[in-house]
Amino acid sequence: EEAAAELGAELLGEALVFGVGGLCVYLEYLRQAGQSRRREEHLEQTLSDLRQGLERLQRDLEELRA
C-alpha cells in the first residue's frame, strides 16, 4: 500500500510538472502568434498608407500637367 501511494504521488507530481511545462509552451506559442499577427497588420497598414500617398501624388502630378 505504501509503495502504491508513493508511486501514485510520484506519477501525480510528474504529470503536474509536465502539464505546467506544456501550458508554458502553449502560452509562448500564443504570444508569438499574436506578435506575428500585430507585425503583419502594421505592415499592411504601412503599405496602405504608402499606396494612398502614391495615388495622391499621381493626382497632383496630373493636375500640374493639365
Side-chain angles (χ1 to χ4, degrees), residues 18-31:
F18 182 75
V20 169
L23 180 62
C24 288
V25 168
Y26 178 69
L27 292 175
E28 180 64 20
Y29 168 77
L30 290 178
R31 188 179 73 83

Side-chain angles (χ1 to χ4, degrees), residues 9-43:
E10 186 177 324
L11 182 62
L12 181 62
E14 289 182 12
L16 182 64
V17 169
F18 182 75
V20 169
L23 180 62
C24 288
V25 168
Y26 178 69
L27 292 175
E28 180 64 20
Y29 168 77
L30 290 178
R31 188 179 73 83
Q32 291 294 327
Q35 282 182 346
S36 177
R37 181 181 42 81
R38 284 189 298 276
R39 187 177 310 120
E40 188 173 321
E41 288 173 354
H42 177 70
L43 288 175

